[in-house]
Amino acid sequence: MSEQRREPTEADGPLFRAAYERAGEIDDASDSAGRRRGWGGFLRAAAVALAEGFLRETFVWGAVLFSLLAAVFGATGGDVAWMVPMIASGVAGVGLVFWSIARHWSFGRQWLVLLSVVAVQIVLIVTFWRTH
């Protein structure tokens, strides 16, 4: 069975690419001292990449959750003036998050979408609470 390797892309981010390159240094080391140094660098880079991946995944689900909450609050708020924009922002937020991931947007653009969606939904929810 052939082994398929996937090279990191722009969507993977710089931290994942750094860990991938450090793994290559282990493979390319000519002696055991170089291999030990390579492992040290790889473990640090892999831990940072794992932490960033966990944080990004948390923001993905947070953005989706806040979008759904905004849509539900708008739909159940009893005010038509708030219903339409909150449902629209909730649907747009979920759509943008999943679109950016499915289309493998660059690392920076994905983070921009995630942070923007979370910020917009929080502002809408807090403003809705303050006015009702």
Side-chain angles (χ1 to χ4, degrees), residues 20-93:
Y20 184 85
E21 290 169 6
R22 294 288 185 153
E25 291 174 9
I26 296 169
D27 294 339
D28 296 339
S30 60
D31 60 346
S32 62
R35 196 167 289 118
R36 264 193 307 276
R37 282 191 307 276
W39 270 104
F42 168 72
L43 291 175
R44 284 189 301 275
V48 171
L50 182 66
E52 186 277 328
F54 180 74
L55 184 64
R56 187 178 351 174
E57 193 71 22
T58 302
F59 264 87
V60 165
W61 291 112
V64 169
L65 176 67
F66 278 117
S67 295
L68 292 176
L69 284 175
V72 168
F73 289 164
T76 61
D79 188 358
V80 177
W82 279 95
M83 184 184 300
V84 173
M86 289 192 70
I87 291 174
S89 74
V91 170

Side-chain angles (χ1 to χ4, degrees), residues 73-74 76-83 86 124-132:
F73 289 164
T76 61
D79 188 358
V80 177
W82 279 95
M83 184 184 300
M86 289 192 70
L124 275 174
I125 291 169
V126 169
T127 305
F128 179 75
W129 273 342
R130 303 270 303 170
T131 60
H132 284 82

Side-chain angles (χ1 to χ4, degrees), residues 12-23:
D12 292 322
L15 301 173
F16 181 81
R17 288 193 306 271
Y20 184 85
E21 290 169 6
R22 294 288 185 153

Side-chain angles (χ1 to χ4, degrees), residues 96 100 105-119:
L96 266 174
S100 70
W105 287 3
S106 71
F107 177 79
R109 285 186 181 174
Q110 284 183 19
W111 269 108
L112 180 65
V113 165
L114 295 175
L115 294 173
S116 298
V117 167
V118 168

